[in-house]
Amino acid sequence: MAKDFRFGVSVRFIKSRTALHAKVRRAEDLGFDILCVPDHLGAAAPFPTLTAAAMVTTRIRLSMYVLNAGFYKPALLSREVEALDLLSNHRLEVGLGTGYVREEFDAAELPYPSAGARVDYLEHMTAYLKEHHPEVPILIAGNGDRVMTLAARHADIIGLTGARVHDAEDPLAERVEFVRRAAGERFEALELNLAITAVPAEGQRIPNLALTRRYTPDLSDKEILALHSVLSGSPREIADTLSGYRDRYGVTSFTVQDSHMDNFAKVIAELR
């Protein structure tokens, strides 16, 4: 039996309390299941933003896509998790990643460890939070083998980026199969999430590729449009695409940017 879909919306910037409240209420009314806030300097701070959202919603779950583990000490992050989980009436899911923007570590006056050391720290953070908050689901997002192995063995939700890796003909299939092998018997219980970076605007079929191009500057428009994280077509056609992702890859959770919220809500309506 196929797993149910879950849909997330990511809020990166906020203009005011009133605007935030209106946005998150609308996300809940439109049928989104998860409200996410990323963790970047210069953008909204995850915990106060999600706390404000928790105060004016009742159903939508709250998450981070994703916290930069290197910005936090386990006991201090654990305190934040405990408070937000309580204030949201246990609607919290914690998203974790290694952190990858060196300039943000520099701005935070923190050392920028090697890739291996950042994964080691992510593993330490994950173990600590699982011990102290066993009921709070954990999402780990990334693309490399070590992060995906960690996610497969310890997370509840796997955040897939849809990025090209190892020159695989089908990068998403390759990453899902990698997770399947690393997870073993626990694979069937995992939720697979895909971060969507481009969705067509109202009345359009081809999306704006600016956000996706930031992460894939070496790809042509044709190559970008072929990425699993880029959606094209009408809401009905996109719904068919996502149904295909569920059937082929087992991916049932999708996260879009808040600028795509209204048009993607039509996709949600097609799938429910």
Side-chain angles (χ1 to χ4, degrees):
M1 182 177 178
K3 295 179 181 178
D4 291 339
F5 286 112
R6 289 208 307 159
F7 301 103
V9 59
S10 178
V11 175
R12 188 183 182 99
F13 300 106
I14 56 176
K15 296 180 179 180
S16 68
R17 181 176 69 174
T18 300
L20 174 66
H21 286 177
K23 178 172 292 187
V24 299
R25 286 191 185 110
R26 180 159 177 76
E28 187 169 67
D29 290 343
L30 288 173
F32 284 90
D33 302 289
I34 315 150
L35 179 76
C36 308
V37 178
D39 190 14
H40 292 291
L41 295 183
F47 282 96
T49 302
L50 290 170
T51 300
M55 297 298 98
V56 295
T57 56
T58 59
R59 179 192 60 81
I60 198 166
R61 294 184 67 81
L62 309 169
S63 186
M64 311 89 184
Y65 206 115
V66 289
L67 291 177
N68 179 342
F71 281 178
Y72 305 90
K73 293 297 184 182
L76 300 181
L77 180 56
S78 177
R79 180 179 63 175
E80 302 295 316
V81 167
E82 181 175 7
L84 181 51
D85 189 48
L86 178 67
L87 292 172
S88 66
N89 199 22
H90 307 297
R91 288 184 279 147
L92 181 61
E93 301 176 6
V94 175
L96 297 172
T98 61
Y100 62 91
V101 183
R102 181 174 193 137
E103 292 77 10
E104 292 188 2
F105 281 83
D106 293 342
E109 300 183 2
L110 293 170
Y112 184 66
S114 67
R118 282 180 282 130
V119 177
D120 289 341
Y121 191 75
L122 175 61
E123 183 171 16
H124 172 59
M125 180 69 79
T126 302
Y128 189 98
L129 293 181
K130 284 177 69 69
E131 179 182 355
H132 290 82
H133 306 283
E135 301 304 317
V136 176
I138 290 180
L139 175 148
I140 294 178
N143 201 51
D145 287 357
R146 283 199 63 202
V147 172
M148 288 290 94
T149 299
L150 172 61
R153 294 176 179 173
H154 300 289
D156 304 287
I157 307 161
I158 312 296
L160 302 160
T161 66
R164 298 172 71 178
V165 63
H166 304 320
D167 294 321
E169 182 177 348
D170 186 335
L172 186 56
E174 190 277 336
R175 288 291 82 183
V176 170
E177 183 56 32
F178 183 92
V179 169
R180 183 190 303 274
R181 293 194 304 268
E185 293 182 355
R186 71 190 305 267
F187 179 78
E188 293 303 322
L190 298 176
E191 179 180 88
L192 303 182
N193 170 277
L194 180 63
I196 301 298
T197 59
V199 177
E202 176 77 29
Q204 297 183 346
R205 295 178 58 81
I206 303 299
N208 184 317
L209 303 179
L211 177 62
T212 314
R213 193 173 286 112
R214 290 186 203 171
Y215 303 102
T216 56
D218 57 322
L219 299 186
S220 67
D221 283 3
K222 182 178 180 179
E223 290 172 320
I224 291 175
L225 286 167
L227 295 173
H228 292 93
S229 59
V230 174
L231 300 177
S232 301
S234 67
R236 178 66 259 172
E237 289 169 328
I238 292 174
D240 290 341
T241 295
L242 299 187
S243 292
Y245 288 177
R246 178 169 67 176
D247 294 342
R248 182 170 182 180
Y249 307 111
V251 177
T252 58
S253 177
F254 301 91
T255 303
V256 301
Q257 303 299 307
D258 60 345
S259 58
H260 304 146
M261 184 169 71
D262 287 327
N263 203 39
F264 193 78
K266 298 176 182 178
V267 178
I268 296 176
E270 293 281 355
L271 291 167
R272 289 183 169 158

